[in-house]
């Protein structure tokens, strides 16, 4: 299906494939394995993008095929990122106007990261950011609460391993 159809799917890593998903050695010596929550498989037939969001767990995103570009913003900029000047929305409020809306949490869903409108959303103009380009075999660590945007180019397959911090 992955090779021949247009699809976008997120699921738990299927049983047999789970044997091939391991935390890197440097994470096996600490608490991460004890607090492992889930491994998610992300498949895309091409050119999918996330909204700018954050997660409440540490995670490791590893690309098996295709490529991804991730852009990161420090969680210390939360009040700016979630402001109207940056296009922030709260899904619960949006659902009151549009009951069919299926997102959750706070995120920046009204902006195009590839063509940022700094006149409409001037708050992004002064925020520092970092980016990572991932190819097959590359992994990136996404710390708890760091805001990020994921852009998958072409067909891609990746796995996220998510775990809770020991202080939660």
């Amino acid at each position: 299906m992955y090779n021949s159809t247009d699809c976008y799917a997120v699921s738990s890593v299927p049983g047999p494939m789970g044997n091939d998903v391991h935390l890197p050695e440097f994470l096996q010596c600490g608490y991460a394995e004890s607090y492992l929550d889930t491994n998610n498989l992300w498949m895309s037939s091409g050119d999918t993008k996330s909204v700018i969001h954050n997660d409440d767990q540490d995670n490791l995103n590893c690309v098996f095929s295709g490529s991804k570009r991730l852009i990161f913003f420090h969680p210390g900029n939360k009040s700016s990122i979630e402001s109207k000047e940056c296009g922030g929305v709260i899904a619960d409020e949006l659902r009151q106007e549009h009951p069919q809306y299926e997102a959750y949490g706070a995120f920046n869903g009204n902006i195009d990261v590839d063509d940022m409108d700094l006149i409409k959303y001037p708050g992004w103009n002064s925020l520092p950011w970092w980016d990572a380009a991932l190819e097959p075999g590359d992994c990136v660590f996404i710390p708890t609460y760091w805001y990020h945007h994921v852009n998958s180019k072409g067909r891609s397959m990746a796995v996220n391993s998510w775990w809770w911090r020991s202080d939660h």
Side-chain angles (χ1 to χ4, degrees):
M1 184 180 95
Y2 170 75
N3 288 324
S4 61
T5 63
D6 287 340
C7 68
Y8 176 76
V10 181
S11 73
S12 296
V13 174
M17 187 179 177
N19 296 329
D20 294 328
V21 177
H22 305 280
L23 290 177
E25 284 185 37
F26 73 91
L27 288 171
Q28 293 177 18
C29 63
Y31 68 87
E33 280 191 317
S34 300
Y35 290 90
L36 188 63
D37 182 31
T38 188
N39 292 316
N40 288 328
L41 175 66
W42 302 78
M43 292 182 5
S44 170
S45 60
D47 300 329
T48 56
K49 299 176 189 179
S50 75
V51 295
I52 295 174
H53 68 286
N54 66 14
D55 301 314
D56 61 357
Q57 293 177 295
D58 286 333
N59 76 82
L60 190 69
N61 186 312
C62 297
V63 175
F64 285 83
S65 65
S67 63
K68 293 180 180 281
R69 181 175 183 212
L70 288 88
I71 298 173
F72 298 93
F73 301 92
H74 192 279
N77 294 308
K78 175 183 172 92
S79 61
S80 295
I81 292 170
E82 292 184 7
S83 71
K84 297 211 183 294
E85 290 76 26
C86 284
V89 297
I90 298 174
D92 291 341
E93 294 173 3
L94 198 56
R95 245 191 324 279
Q96 290 176 3
E97 295 177 37
H98 308 282
Q100 75 281 7
Y101 203 73
E102 295 183 21
Y104 58 92
F107 60 93
N108 301 81
N110 296 326
I111 60 173
D112 182 351
V113 174
D114 293 330
D115 189 19
M116 186 66 72
D117 185 342
L118 294 177
I119 294 171
K120 188 172 182 180
Y121 303 112
W124 293 105
N125 198 31
S126 60
L127 289 177
W129 56 279
W130 297 264
D131 70 276
L134 304 179
E135 298 296 328
D138 291 339
C139 297
V140 65
F141 173 66
I142 305 172
T144 300
Y145 302 132
W146 273 70
Y147 291 86
H148 55 283
H149 164 75
V150 183
N151 187 348
S152 300
K153 295 289 188 182
R155 287 192 184 279
S156 65
M157 185 181 306
V159 169
N160 276 85
S161 295
W162 290 9
W163 64 95
W164 297 105
R165 290 196 174 189
S166 62
D167 57 358
H168 279 182

